[in-house]
Amino acid sequence: MFTTQTYVARRKQLAEAVGHGLIILPGNGEAPMNYAGNPYPFRQDSTFRYFAGLNQPDLILTINAETGESLLYGDEATLDDMVWMGEQTGLDELAQRAGLQVGGNLQKAVDTLCLSEVVHYLPTYRDARQMLLCQCLNEDDRPSEKLIRAVIAQRSYKSAEELAEMDRAVTTSMAMHRAAAAGAKPGMREAEVAGMVEGLAISAGGRLAYAAIVSRDGHILHNHAHHNVLREGDLLLIDAGAETPSGYAGDITRTFAVGAEMTAKQQAVYDIVDDAKRRVIEAIRPGVPFRELHDLSARIITNGLKQLGLMKGDTAEAVAAGAHALFYPHGLGHMIGLDVHDMEDLGEDFVGYDEEFQRSEQFGTRNLRLGRRLEEGFTITVEPGIYFIPILTDRWRAEGKHTEYINYDALAAYRDFGGIRLEDNVVVTADNCRVLGSV
Amino acid sequence: MFTTQTYVARRKQLAEAVGHGLIILPGNGEAPMNYAGNPYPFRQDSTFRYFAGLNQPDLILTINAETGESLLYGDEATLDDMVWMGEQTGLDELAQRAGLQVGGNLQKAVDTLCLSEVVHYLPTYRDARQMLLCQCLNEDDRPSEKLIRAVIAQRSYKSAEELAEMDRAVTTSMAMHRAAAAGAKPGMREAEVAGMVEGLAISAGGRLAYAAIVSRDGHILHNHAHHNVLREGDLLLIDAGAETPSGYAGDITRTFAVGAEMTAKQQAVYDIVDDAKRRVIEAIRPGVPFRELHDLSARIITNGLKQLGLMKGDTAEAVAAGAHALFYPHGLGHMIGLDVHDMEDLGEDFVGYDEEFQRSEQFGTRNLRLGRRLEEGFTITVEPGIYFIPILTDRWRAEGKHTEYINYDALAAYRDFGGIRLEDNVVVTADNCRVLGSV
């Protein structure tokens, strides 16, 4: 597990990279659900947790980039708090655990912020944090690109301790998928399976890393409705991952036929996706641009769909034109770590792209979150899929789009097929990669 | 289930009660967890749902209190939304389901709001809603007490359709408790049991109505940490309730010994709490002030603790002095409905108190959320408890507090006892009450 020295070293590295000014990293507060006293499960800000390790709400960390001085701010608990919530760890002890000095209460943090000439802060994703920063910043202040890049430069490379947590997240996630595959029966509602999956993430001491997808409508990419009744032979797509107690995410997708062997038609599509996943994983190594691996997966899928008579023409040309995106309209994968889309709050293009690789503007490929060359220590998802999306098929057909690559007539037989996605998480090693959860 | 006419009638009643000006009821948006694209499970605002019945994010309802004209505002989905999220119900159809006219997009709602002279709005509990209202309101604008009172006057009385949902919530909640009692074994972590409980709420198509308490430290009233390992004979306190797909809450507490019969010592405390719950339920009828029932439960608990040698002196005087609150520092119960603490966002004192009954300032009783006379159609919780809270005992003993009523020496033997709470949900009927979930 992570030691106090880990956090001290991380902050030192960050201060050196930023060099000048005051870095402010506010932790998250409680997020009200239907009234202030009934919050959602607390979720710490990932960057705050990375640099301070503390999982309590309403804390603020500041780092003086010149001196490295790191201060923790927070309000102390009252006796009433302790009667209701149990003994609360004092600010002193929290600071000590993280190797920090005590800065004072939250108001003092705001005062300090207001007095600082150069403040480095990250983009906000919760209104409360925006309102906190608004108390002190000028209208033309912007999140610090220097800080964003420095944080990404650290969090992108996972340490051995972090990889142990990632393995744990994936191992729990795989247990969730095994339970779902064993438990899903014809006649059940999708919600029943979703409850099994989410219950196991909680039983492991964490929670889900993101809202689970448990759907016989696998072609609806982000479908969080779970009201369908499962029928024998339905393809059930489950995209679900555990978050460990220390905050690391798993992100695993499996697709299976409910209460039955797959039909030959289902198996044929499954095999294409499985082949794409396997061959991408075999091709992963430091230096390979993820954008090229995405294109590789698109070509494997296109070739497979040609064999099924659903696509036609030259594979490379079809992929270059973006015709495959009718069936595969998302990206091959993304960074994963303390966030399931790691550091997405800092800006996807900062995380996944660079001067060498910019985001495509083409439908489908523009959803690829990661394009840059892989490096040792990156943890990423590999998640190809094939979907039959009636609303998109109808639109493209009506527009006469990519008729040289797509056999629209043959697609009629797949209208109710649904979708298949298969997803693993891997760490890029010195020579190739290792599938996480496999130790 | 609820028909369109239900919502039309509810809005008509509200408009008539408010009489003048524009009522604005914004629904909730998504609540970001660790980045904007990874939200918590969507939870609609309860009052919006009560008056519009719609469970989609980012909608606004306005009601002209003079004409009764009710408008729905929202932004239409794009093709990209539909590829990712599936076919989205259009604003037209949503409005039709709820018996509303289409007002326009969200910007139009803001524009309308800014043009209105008299705007009635409710207290906000999410920053996003505050920021929405801030675009148009003046600094000295305040939530409308007239609207608050009118909403409470409607939502406090549950219809037959609502009671059917409440029964459903409690039935699911009871199934969660039965599964936990059957599944909790020595050697498990509390989190494993918490996962079973929460998983079943999700499997039933809803979610938890509030963060579950699953704790061998039952004396910590709002303890959401679940890392303890259960030992044989530990008292395990579980406070957990399901929210149905239509948004109604159950709120049930049970306490049992893990993998064992209760010891005589545990059973003696249990029986006092059980007796308090039973006798309060027997005493519930329209016209009885809930404050008196709270005092009844305090007297039953005090009498019981006197028999155990932990309290002494005159029972009524001890309760009047607040000595019982060392063991029972919370209130007997609260309203429940679309919120587990129903309408808490509107102001607890508006919901639970009136001119006849004001909130006590005494430690313990000041936490009673409901004091007013009960009326037919109210749904409430009944949840007495006895806790042994070392931090509070030590404080009171050091202060020499209530030494005429408390045998501090005898308390040493209970230092590690934990706590017992038992909780049912009831509806006040014409003659007495009915325990929910019992049909």
Side-chain angles (χ1 to χ4, degrees):
Chain A
M1 281 295 299
F2 306 100
T3 65
T4 303
Q5 275 318 306
T6 304
Y7 300 110
V8 172
R10 286 175 178 174
R11 291 192 300 266
K12 184 163 181 285
Q13 188 181 341
L14 185 68
E16 286 168 4
V18 173
H20 174 60
L22 185 74
I23 299 165
I24 177 162
L25 297 173
N28 279 336
E30 298 281 10
M33 191 165 65
N34 51 335
Y35 53 90
N38 199 27
Y40 285 108
F42 176 70
R43 177 55 160 81
Q44 186 58 284
D45 177 73
S46 299
T47 297
F48 178 88
R49 200 160 188 190
Y50 183 83
F51 287 103
L54 303 168
N55 198 29
Q56 286 78 7
D58 297 320
L59 296 170
I60 295 178
L61 167 65
T62 65
I63 305 170
N64 182 315
E66 282 132 83
T67 65
E69 184 191 49
S70 296
L71 300 175
L72 183 70
Y73 296 87
D75 293 337
E76 295 285 358
T78 64
L79 178 64
D80 244 30
D81 291 338
M82 289 193 267
V83 168
W84 287 86
M85 315 284 283
E87 300 245 15
Q88 301 294 297
T89 313
L91 195 64
D92 276 352
E93 193 188 323
L94 291 178
Q96 201 178 335
R97 282 187 202 165
L100 294 161
Q101 306 294 112
V102 172
N105 62 20
L106 293 175
Q107 185 55 51
K108 180 128 184 254
V110 173
D111 295 345
T112 304
L113 184 62
C114 294
L115 290 172
S116 301
E117 286 210 357
V118 179
V119 174
H120 296 279
Y121 64 96
L122 296 171
T124 57
Y125 55 89
R126 289 196 183 184
D127 298 318
R129 190 190 293 185
Q130 184 62 35
M131 289 161 88
L132 169 82
L133 292 171
C134 278
Q135 292 179 57
C136 298
L137 300 177
N138 299 318
E139 260 197 32
D140 51 350
D141 282 331
R142 291 286 171 274
S144 160
E145 189 173 324
K146 194 159 199 180
L147 179 59
I148 291 169
R149 291 191 182 279
V151 169
I152 291 172
Q154 286 188 242
R155 284 182 56 189
S156 295
Y157 303 90
K158 270 63 178 178
S159 68
E161 293 86 351
E162 289 185 282
L163 292 175
E165 284 298 309
M166 297 289 299
D167 274 316
R168 187 176 171 191
V170 173
T171 299
T172 301
S173 305
M174 291 304 298
M176 289 152 50
H177 282 273
R178 278 195 302 274
K185 308 285 180 210
M188 276 186 179
R189 278 185 196 278
E190 292 160 343
E192 289 180 68
V193 183
M196 295 178 202
V197 166
E198 187 157 351
L200 286 175
I202 295 162
S203 286
R207 298 198 64 84
L208 288 183
Y210 55 96
I213 297 167
V214 180
S215 183
R216 56 180 295 279
D217 295 325
H219 61 286
I220 302 175
L221 300 179
H222 278 182
N223 180 17
H224 299 298
H226 296 148
H227 52 264
N228 290 316
V229 175
L230 299 175
R231 298 167 309 194
E232 187 173 307
D234 274 349
L235 282 180
L236 185 63
L237 185 153
I238 301 183
D239 184 343
E243 180 176 285
T244 65
S246 58
Y248 285 82
D251 182 357
I252 300 293
T253 307
R254 293 290 183 266
T255 311
F256 59 89
V258 176
E261 296 289 308
M262 282 196 185
T263 63
K265 187 175 167 186
Q266 291 170 336
Q267 190 68 49
V269 177
Y270 184 98
D271 288 345
I272 301 168
V273 180
D274 193 44
D275 190 43
K277 174 166 76 80
R278 189 179 48 75
R279 286 167 61 189
V280 164
I281 289 173
E282 284 171 4
I284 290 176
R285 55 183 49 83
V288 175
F290 200 67
R291 171 62 206 263
E292 284 181 14
L293 295 175
H294 172 80
D295 291 343
L296 169 64
S297 69
R299 289 195 302 274
I300 295 168
I301 284 170
T302 299
N303 277 333
L305 292 171
K306 280 164 65 179
Q307 289 191 324
L308 297 183
L310 301 174
M311 291 187 74
K312 59 190 176 183
D314 182 79
T315 298
E317 285 173 18
V319 168
H324 65 282
L326 177 63
F327 307 94
Y328 178 31
H330 63 73
L332 173 65
H334 49 79
M335 292 267 212
I336 182 169
L338 281 165
D339 306 301
V340 55
H341 296 167
D342 210 22
M343 305 172 277
E344 184 170 306
D345 59 318
L346 305 185
E348 223 171 60
D349 286 351
F350 286 122
V351 176
Y353 290 90
D354 56 16
E355 287 176 12
E356 188 182 3
F357 288 91
Q358 282 98 50
R359 185 183 288 262
S360 163
E361 291 180 357
Q362 190 180 67
F363 177 84
T365 309
R366 72 177 176 226
N367 294 321
L368 180 64
R369 303 176 191 279
L370 176 64
R372 60 186 283 203
R373 289 182 192 277
L374 297 176
E375 297 185 53
E376 185 179 353
F378 283 11
T379 46
I380 56 177
T381 69
V382 178
E383 46 177 317
I386 295 177
Y387 316 88
F388 297 89
I389 308 173
I391 190 171
L392 192 59
T393 305
D394 293 348
R395 183 76 65 107
W396 278 28
R397 181 167 207 173
E399 293 172 356
K401 216 166 165 179
H402 295 310
T403 47
E404 65 273 46
Y405 303 118
I406 297 168
N407 286 322
Y408 285 103
D409 287 342
L411 271 172
Y414 287 80
R415 201 163 174 90
D416 298 325
F417 186 96
I420 291 176
R421 180 167 62 254
L422 299 171
E423 178 180 21
D424 284 337
N425 307 151
V426 309
V427 54
V428 181
T429 58
D431 302 320
N432 39 45
C433 77
R434 178 173 72 77
V435 176
L436 290 163
S438 53
V439 287
Chain B
M1 279 296 297
F2 306 100
T3 64
T4 303
Q5 276 316 305
T6 304
Y7 300 109
V8 171
R10 285 174 177 173
R11 292 192 300 266
K12 185 163 182 285
Q13 187 182 342
L14 185 70
E16 285 168 4
V18 173
H20 174 63
L22 185 75
I23 299 165
I24 178 162
L25 297 173
N28 279 336
E30 298 281 9
M33 192 165 65
N34 50 335
Y35 53 88
N38 198 26
Y40 285 109
F42 176 70
R43 176 55 160 81
Q44 186 57 285
D45 176 72
S46 299
T47 298
F48 178 88
R49 198 159 190 192
Y50 183 82
F51 287 105
L54 302 168
N55 199 30
Q56 286 78 7
D58 297 322
L59 296 171
I60 296 179
L61 167 65
T62 64
I63 305 171
N64 182 315
E66 283 133 83
T67 64
E69 184 190 50
S70 297
L71 300 177
L72 184 70
Y73 296 86
D75 294 336
E76 297 284 359
T78 64
L79 177 65
D80 244 30
D81 292 337
M82 290 193 267
V83 168
W84 288 85
M85 316 283 283
E87 300 246 15
Q88 300 294 296
T89 313
L91 196 63
D92 276 353
E93 192 189 323
L94 291 176
Q96 201 178 336
R97 280 187 203 165
L100 293 161
Q101 307 293 113
V102 172
N105 64 19
L106 292 174
Q107 186 55 51
K108 181 131 184 250
V110 173
D111 296 343
T112 304
L113 185 63
C114 294
L115 290 172
S116 301
E117 286 212 353
V118 180
V119 175
H120 296 278
Y121 65 95
L122 296 172
T124 57
Y125 55 89
R126 290 199 183 181
D127 298 317
R129 191 191 293 187
Q130 184 64 34
M131 289 161 87
L132 169 79
L133 292 170
C134 278
Q135 293 180 55
C136 297
L137 300 177
N138 298 318
E139 258 197 33
D140 50 351
D141 282 329
R142 291 288 171 272
S144 162
E145 190 174 323
K146 195 159 197 179
L147 179 60
I148 291 170
R149 291 190 183 281
V151 169
I152 291 172
Q154 286 187 240
R155 284 182 55 190
S156 294
Y157 304 92
K158 270 65 177 177
S159 67
E161 292 86 353
E162 290 185 282
L163 292 175
E165 283 298 308
M166 298 288 300
D167 275 315
R168 187 176 171 190
V170 174
T171 300
T172 301
S173 303
M174 292 303 300
M176 288 152 49
H177 282 273
R178 278 194 304 273
K185 308 284 180 212
M188 278 185 181
R189 280 186 195 276
E190 293 160 342
E192 289 180 69
V193 184
M196 293 178 203
V197 166
E198 188 156 350
L200 286 175
I202 295 162
S203 287
R207 297 198 64 86
L208 288 183
Y210 53 97
I213 298 167
V214 180
S215 183
R216 56 180 296 279
D217 295 324
H219 61 286
I220 302 174
L221 300 180
H222 279 181
N223 180 15
H224 299 296
H226 295 148
H227 51 263
N228 291 314
V229 174
L230 299 175
R231 299 166 308 196
E232 186 172 305
D234 274 349
L235 282 180
L236 185 63
L237 186 153
I238 301 183
D239 185 343
E243 180 174 286
T244 65
S246 57
Y248 284 81
D251 182 358
I252 301 293
T253 309
R254 293 290 182 266
T255 312
F256 59 89
V258 176
E261 295 290 306
M262 283 197 182
T263 63
K265 188 175 168 185
Q266 291 170 335
Q267 189 70 48
V269 176
Y270 184 97
D271 288 345
I272 300 168
V273 180
D274 193 43
D275 191 41
K277 175 166 75 80
R278 189 179 46 76
R279 285 167 61 189
V280 163
I281 290 174
E282 284 170 6
I284 290 175
R285 54 183 51 81
V288 175
F290 200 69
R291 170 64 204 261
E292 284 182 12
L293 295 176
H294 173 79
D295 290 343
L296 169 64
S297 70
R299 289 194 302 275
I300 295 168
I301 284 169
T302 300
N303 277 333
L305 293 171
K306 279 164 66 178
Q307 289 190 327
L308 297 184
L310 301 174
M311 292 188 75
K312 58 190 175 181
D314 181 79
T315 299
E317 285 173 16
V319 169
H324 66 282
L326 177 62
F327 307 95
Y328 178 31
H330 63 72
L332 173 63
H334 50 77
M335 293 266 210
I336 181 169
L338 280 165
D339 305 303
V340 57
H341 296 167
D342 210 21
M343 304 172 278
E344 185 169 305
D345 58 318
L346 305 185
E348 221 169 61
D349 286 352
F350 285 122
V351 176
Y353 290 90
D354 55 18
E355 287 177 12
E356 188 182 2
F357 289 91
Q358 281 99 50
R359 184 182 289 261
S360 164
E361 292 181 356
Q362 190 179 69
F363 176 85
T365 309
R366 74 177 175 225
N367 294 321
L368 180 64
R369 302 176 193 279
L370 176 63
R372 60 183 286 202
R373 290 181 191 277
L374 298 176
E375 297 186 53
E376 186 180 350
F378 283 12
T379 45
I380 57 176
T381 69
V382 178
E383 46 178 315
I386 295 178
Y387 316 88
F388 298 90
I389 308 172
I391 189 172
L392 191 60
T393 305
D394 293 348
R395 182 76 65 106
W396 278 29
R397 182 168 206 170
E399 293 171 357
K401 216 167 164 179
H402 296 310
T403 48
E404 65 273 46
Y405 303 118
I406 296 167
N407 287 321
Y408 284 103
D409 287 343
L411 272 173
Y414 286 81
R415 202 164 173 89
D416 298 326
F417 186 95
I420 291 176
R421 180 166 63 254
L422 300 171
E423 177 180 23
D424 285 338
N425 307 152
V426 308
V427 54
V428 182
T429 57
D431 302 320
N432 38 48
C433 78
R434 178 172 72 78
V435 176
L436 290 164
S438 53
V439 288

